[in-house]
Amino acid sequence: MKLDLNLLRVFDAIYTARNVSRAADALDLTQPAVSQGLTRLRNLMGDPLFVRAAGGVAPTARAQRMAPAVHDALRALESAVQDSSGFDPALAERVFRLHMTDIGEDQFLPRLITTVRLRAPRTRIETMRVSLADLGSAMDQGRVDLAFGFLPGLKSMRSAILFQDRYIILMRKGHPFARRHGARLRAPDAIQALDFITVRTHAYTRAALEALSAADRVRVTTEHFMALPALIEATDLAVIIPRNIALSFAPRGRYAIIEADLPRREFDVGIHWSHRYDKDPANRWLRGVALELYRDA
C-alpha cells in the first residue's frame, strides 16, 4: 500500500479537530480538498475512519488505533526537517502545544502570546491539560512541547526555573482574622480557627491543611483557582495558594495576604520539556522566549 504523506496530514488534522471544516482551516486547504483526501484514505484503508457525530465526526476503532502512530510519525518528520534547516521564527509555520492549568494560562499566556506573535507571526499556540501520569509520555511523543508550572512529578524531564514562589493564606481584607493577626501568622495552630476553600486540581491545598491538623476546616472545594476571588471577597473563607497567584488577584478586589509557616511552602515554577526535544530548534527557541520574559521580569 502506497500512502501519500498529505493524506496522513489530512487524517491527523481531522482526528485532532473532530471536524472536517476545522481540519481544512488548520491545513489551510478548502473543505472539498480535505473531503477528497479523506475519501482516498478511506478507499486505501478499507475503513470509513470517521463517522458523523454531534458537532463534526468521531473516529472509528481503526482510526483510534492508527492515530498515535500517524501523529508521532508526522512530528518526527517535522522535527527532522527543522533539525536540518534550523528554525526561522519569522517564517515558521507550526503549532506549539503547551501544558498549562487555568491559572497557568492566566499567569503565563498573555505575555508569551504577545512576544510570540511579534517574533513568529505565522505560528500558533494551543494550550491543553494533561494528567501528570500521562504528561511525560505526551512530551516524549511530541504531543506537548512545553509544560509550565510546579511539576515535581516530572522527574525524567528536563527543566528550567522561571521564578520562585511560596504558599500564603489569602482572605478578604476585612476578615476578623486578618485584623487580629496582621500580615504574619506565627502560631500554626491559629489556622485551625479558619474555614477554608480547597482547589481540587491543586493537591498541596488539602495536604497542607492535613499536615496542620486542619483538614476538617474545609468548607468549600472548587475545581479551579479562577473561582477564588469572588468566593473570598463574599465570605469569611480563606485559601492557601501561591503568592504570585494571590498578587494577580489583588487588582480585582480587596484581599489580605497572610504569611504563615506552612509545610514545604517554598517551591520553583518552571518550564519542562522532553530530553528527546532538547536540541529541537523550535522547542529551544520557545524555551528561550519563556526564560527571557521571566528573566527580564
Side-chain angles (χ1 to χ4, degrees):
M1 181 191 301
K2 291 186 177 180
L3 278 178
D4 184 336
L5 181 61
N6 288 325
L7 295 183
L8 295 182
R9 293 179 65 239
V10 166
F11 173 87
D12 186 60
I14 296 174
Y15 185 85
T16 300
R18 297 294 202 273
N19 183 284
V20 175
S21 296
R22 288 199 293 271
D25 290 341
L27 294 168
D28 198 20
L29 295 173
T30 64
Q31 183 173 338
V34 171
S35 297
Q36 289 170 13
L38 178 56
T39 299
R40 288 178 57 198
L41 194 55
R42 282 168 166 165
N43 291 334
L44 285 168
M45 303 304 299
D47 188 273
L49 298 177
F50 299 96
V51 296
R52 293 185 182 277
V57 295
T60 64
R62 178 76 180 276
Q64 290 277 21
R65 293 193 299 271
M66 285 174 55
V70 170
H71 185 83
D72 290 350
L74 290 172
R75 291 304 296 268
L77 285 170
E78 179 183 314
S79 178
V81 170
Q82 289 172 350
D83 279 343
S84 62
S85 63
F87 178 76
D88 184 347
L91 300 176
E93 295 183 9
R94 72 162 283 169
V95 180
F96 289 111
R97 295 179 175 89
L98 313 177
H99 166 83
M100 291 182 179
T101 62
D102 61 328
I103 198 65
E105 290 179 349
D106 185 69
Q107 283 201 292
F108 300 118
L109 207 52
R111 195 185 309 179
L112 185 64
I113 285 179
T114 300
T115 303
V116 169
R117 281 183 57 81
L118 286 173
R119 300 182 187 178
R122 300 168 74 175
T123 62
R124 292 187 292 125
I125 289 178
E126 294 179 1
T127 64
M128 58 184 66
R129 296 171 204 173
V130 182
S131 70
L132 190 58
D134 297 330
L135 186 53
S137 62
M139 287 197 285
D140 280 341
Q141 294 165 11
R143 291 184 285 117
V144 174
D145 294 295
L146 294 179
F148 286 71
F150 173 50
L151 301 167
L154 288 177
K155 306 247 181 237
S156 63
M157 296 293 109
R158 298 196 185 278
S159 63
I161 297 172
L162 294 176
F163 59 87
Q164 294 179 316
D165 206 347
R166 64 181 180 272
Y167 286 97
I168 54 86
I169 299 174
L170 187 71
M171 61 190 69
R172 67 179 181 85
K173 194 169 186 178
H175 195 295
F177 190 95
R179 291 200 301 266
R180 186 163 61 251
H181 291 276
R184 179 73 193 181
L185 177 62
R186 291 178 173 79
D189 58 349
I191 289 175
Q192 297 173 21
L194 285 167
D195 289 327
F196 283 92
I197 309 169
T198 59
V199 181
R200 185 174 287 110
T201 55
H202 201 73
Y204 178 89
T205 323
R206 183 173 288 274
L209 291 175
E210 289 175 353
L212 294 167
S213 302
D216 62 339
R217 304 302 301 180
V218 176
R219 298 292 178 259
V220 175
T221 299
T222 183
E223 194 71 23
H224 303 297
F225 277 109
M226 302 312 294
L228 295 176
L231 288 172
I232 293 170
E233 197 165 3
T235 69
D236 277 344
L237 297 173
V239 66
I240 296 173
I241 60 172
R243 187 172 183 274
N244 270 283
I245 297 175
L247 292 175
S248 73
F249 290 165
R252 308 176 197 178
R254 299 173 61 82
Y255 307 105
I257 292 177
I258 310 295
E259 298 283 354
D261 294 326
L262 302 169
R264 301 185 306 279
R265 72 185 190 122
E266 296 182 346
F267 61 97
D268 296 328
V269 177
I271 49 173
H272 309 260
W273 66 95
S274 169
H275 62 91
R276 294 184 183 179
Y277 292 87
D278 190 51
K279 297 190 182 301
D280 174 70
N283 194 295
R284 290 177 65 181
W285 177 81
L286 188 61
R287 296 190 322 249
V289 170
L291 288 168
E292 175 190 330
L293 291 174
Y294 282 89
R295 183 182 64 241
D296 291 347

